[in-house]
Amino acid sequence: MKKIIVAGAGFVGVCCALELAKKGFDVTLVDRNQPGEEASFGNAGIICNSGIHPLASTTIKHQLPSLATNRDTRFRLHWPHFPSLLPWLGQFLGNCNDTANSHGTAALSYLLRHSVSHHRELLHESNAIRYLNDTGWLRLYRDDAGFEDTKEERLRYERNGVSFRIVNAQDIAELEPHLIRQYAKGIWLDGTPTVTNPSAVCKAYTALFISLGGTFKQGTISHITQTRSGWELTTQEENMASTDIVVAMGASSPLLLKTTKLKNRIAIERGYHYLYQPLANKPLTRSIIDTHAGFVLTPMEMGIRATSAVELVAKHTRPTPRQINALIPEIQNTFPLGKQLLDKPWMGHRPSTPDSLPIIGPTPHRDGLWQAFGHGHLGLTLGPTTGKWIADTISGKPIDAQQKAFLPERFE
Ligand SMILES: Cc1cc2nc3c(=O)[nH]c(=O)nc-3n(C[C@H](O)[C@H](O)[C@H](O)COP(=O)(O)OP(=O)(O)OC[C@H]3O[C@@H](n4cnc5c(N)ncnc54)[C@H](O)[C@@H]3O)c2cc1C
């Protein structure tokens, strides 16, 4: 049976390894950490089947000059990286038009349509269903104008079968009675669940992979080399040979692909989180987003996690948590929270493509090299679906017309 190495054990890599093992391949999963310790650790936990809108849009294009002043808590540009971000920004702006945006919405809707059922299946199989919170995701608007701006978004939800309900101030107070802030309107995405411990779910999926005969090895990967019979992957400890390699190292994937002379196509959208002790008798029932300030509060097993939106950087560099720190008063004025539980904010890297579509599929001119990264804001959501696509394609299933939108070759 074919020997396959999966590089990276975040949600995407673990699910690729798991689906390949289910098909009977001899799979080794390699990571420098234990599974689910980087971006897949500290996210907002939303299985965001409603994330059908690409970031690149005419609206964001018009907002960019004001966002770039770094006064809006929803976005921060890391100015020292501006020159190296220019090629990515150029491509991103090229996608800020209605045609590319509609194309992206159609592609994402197709990719996301089974994301919840795929997770549900794995949560059951891995005995981790207790982590699923099925109360939906609540998008909150401080005023009517903010809500009215979502008209097109709601139309797209309707067209693409995304379940939601419009809620008013009274409904919101009934759904989340302990909110401090009054919201005018909300969109309750009642079919969008969350998980209450993303890293534990990722580890449960890994345990399932191992129970199916898969191997997990810890090691820092330095490079990959094409050989006569396939590929060789090098860690500090050893060289490993395989017929195929799946690169699923999230935001670090370009560094590895560079060792086989492939260009970088992603930027990094950093996000931070703080963790608060819940107050007795004041539970938060479901994940909420304050769309005005751009933070998400999610009830998790270990406390209430407050995540920030986007800090755009070109590469890994030291944390600059100004954005999340500026959000602290907003967060505290939204929901009653106990003690903050972290010494410093957690930081993670969302690997983001200029067209907001992940990169999934074979690498042109590099037989046996597969790419599965660039999932941006949707990596937890899309891990299982990506795993199935990669495993099906490696098994010889033809790529269908809709999957073509995600192929690495679009950047060649
Ligand atoms: C604040 C925040 C909130 C988010 N909220 C959500 C959400 O609600 N829903 C959602 O779907 N997504 C969310 N995301 C995005 C999501 O977390 C990511 O898209 C997803 O985790 C990416 O998964 P991945 O497997 O591609 O990458 P990662 O989880 O980053 O995994 C990559 C793996 O590669 C390993 N690695 C890297 N370099 C090496 C090396 N040299 N050698 C060996 N191993 C290496 C790392 O250790 C890591 O385990 C959020 C992200 C952030 C930052």
Side-chain angles (χ1 to χ4, degrees):
M1 184 42 91
K2 239 185 186 186
K3 203 170 161 52
I4 302 175
I5 295 175
V6 178
F11 266 104
V12 176
V14 167
C15 292
C16 289
L18 177 50
E19 295 300 335
L20 286 162
K22 280 187 182 179
K23 291 202 179 282
F25 291 108
D26 175 1
V27 189
T28 303
L29 175 65
V30 187
D31 200 294
R32 60 186 169 195
N33 298 304
Q34 286 299 308
E37 290 292 323
E38 294 208 355
S40 296
F41 175 92
N43 52 67
I46 304 163
I47 304 179
C48 198
N49 57 346
S50 44
I52 59 173
H53 310 287
L55 282 184
S57 63
T58 45
T59 316
I60 207 96
K61 186 177 175 181
H62 295 133
Q63 288 175 348
L64 265 184
S66 112
L67 288 173
T69 62
N70 286 346
R71 289 198 195 100
D72 189 319
T73 47
R74 293 173 302 173
F75 178 83
R76 198 174 165 78
L77 177 65
H78 188 70
W79 274 101
H81 283 181
F82 183 64
S84 26
L85 278 168
L86 274 172
W88 187 92
L89 280 170
Q91 280 187 299
F92 178 82
L93 285 171
N95 286 303
C96 287
N97 58 71
D98 291 342
T99 313
N101 190 270
S102 301
H103 168 77
T105 304
L108 283 173
S109 300
Y110 179 77
L111 184 63
L112 285 160
R113 73 202 193 291
H114 298 309
S115 52
V116 173
S117 59
H118 286 164
H119 263 292
R120 232 181 253 284
E121 196 179 298
L122 290 187
L123 286 164
H124 278 293
E125 288 173 19
S126 63
N127 209 8
I129 196 69
R130 66 186 178 284
Y131 294 115
L132 192 73
N133 176 354
D134 241 338
T135 50
W137 185 38
L138 190 54
R139 297 182 62 85
L140 295 169
Y141 301 86
R142 293 188 186 183
D143 51 40
D144 286 330
F147 173 75
E148 290 311 325
D149 285 347
T150 65
K151 201 169 165 187
E152 176 61 29
E153 244 171 79
R154 283 178 278 130
L155 269 177
R156 287 185 180 192
Y157 286 155
E158 272 164 18
R159 276 190 219 127
N160 290 289
V162 175
S163 174
F164 74 97
R165 297 188 218 178
I166 295 168
V167 286
N168 61 24
Q170 196 186 330
D171 303 324
I172 295 167
E174 278 167 25
L175 285 168
E176 292 300 340
H178 305 299
L179 276 170
I180 302 168
R181 196 184 293 283
Q182 273 250 326
Y183 287 95
K185 279 268 168 59
I187 301 176
W188 180 22
L189 291 143
D190 53 354
T192 297
T194 55
V195 291
T196 56
N197 190 336
S199 181
V201 171
C202 202
K203 288 177 172 62
Y205 291 180
T206 310
L208 177 62
F209 158 70
I210 293 167
S211 76
L212 296 173
T215 305
F216 173 70
K217 283 195 178 177
Q218 206 166 341
T220 299
I221 304 162
S222 58
H223 59 277
I224 49 174
T225 322
Q226 194 159 19
T227 62
R228 275 202 200 149
S229 53
W231 289 86
E232 193 167 79
L233 175 142
T234 305
T235 69
Q236 279 161 332
E237 290 79 25
E238 60 182 315
N239 289 337
M240 296 177 216
S242 63
T243 49
D244 295 60
I245 290 190
V246 181
V247 175
M249 290 189 348
S252 301
S253 302
L255 287 175
L256 187 59
L257 290 174
K258 204 173 159 189
T259 66
T260 182
K261 300 197 168 39
L262 286 167
K263 279 198 206 131
N264 179 22
R265 283 77 48 90
I266 63 166
I268 297 173
E269 292 182 53
R270 293 204 299 210
Y272 300 81
H273 84 227
Y274 276 124
L275 185 68
Y276 293 88
Q277 206 161 45
L279 287 183
N281 307 322
K282 293 200 187 305
L284 177 67
T285 309
R286 57 183 58 70
S287 185
I288 60 169
I289 177 167
D290 179 301
T291 53
H292 176 84
F295 62 87
V296 174
L297 295 181
T298 306
M300 297 246 166
E301 206 179 44
M302 38 298 177
I304 296 179
R305 183 177 279 177
T307 47
S308 63
V310 172
E311 182 186 39
L312 192 63
V313 298
K315 56 181 187 292
H316 295 252
T317 184
R318 66 181 177 78
T320 47
R322 280 188 213 130
Q323 188 183 33
I324 187 112
N325 288 337
L327 282 168
I328 291 174
E330 297 282 354
I331 292 166
Q332 288 173 336
N333 288 328
T334 297
F335 199 82
L337 297 162
K339 206 167 105 198
Q340 203 286 110
L341 299 169
L342 304 181
D343 295 339
K344 53 180 187 179
W346 172 91
M347 180 180 82
H349 298 93
R350 300 179 187 94
S352 296
T353 58
D355 57 7
S356 306
L357 306 183
I359 302 170
I360 309 170
T363 310
H365 319 301
R366 308 269 196 295
D367 269 2
L369 181 62
W370 301 82
Q371 301 183 36
F373 63 94
H375 292 68
H377 294 241
L378 297 169
L380 177 160
T381 304
L382 287 170
T385 304
T386 304
K388 280 187 194 291
W389 281 23
I390 286 283
D392 283 347
T393 317
I394 292 183
S395 305
K397 189 173 172 195
I399 289 164
D400 67 33
Q402 279 100 334
Q403 286 173 317
K404 287 197 173 140
F406 303 93
L407 291 177
E409 67 188 33
R410 72 189 191 276
F411 293 112
E412 293 292 306

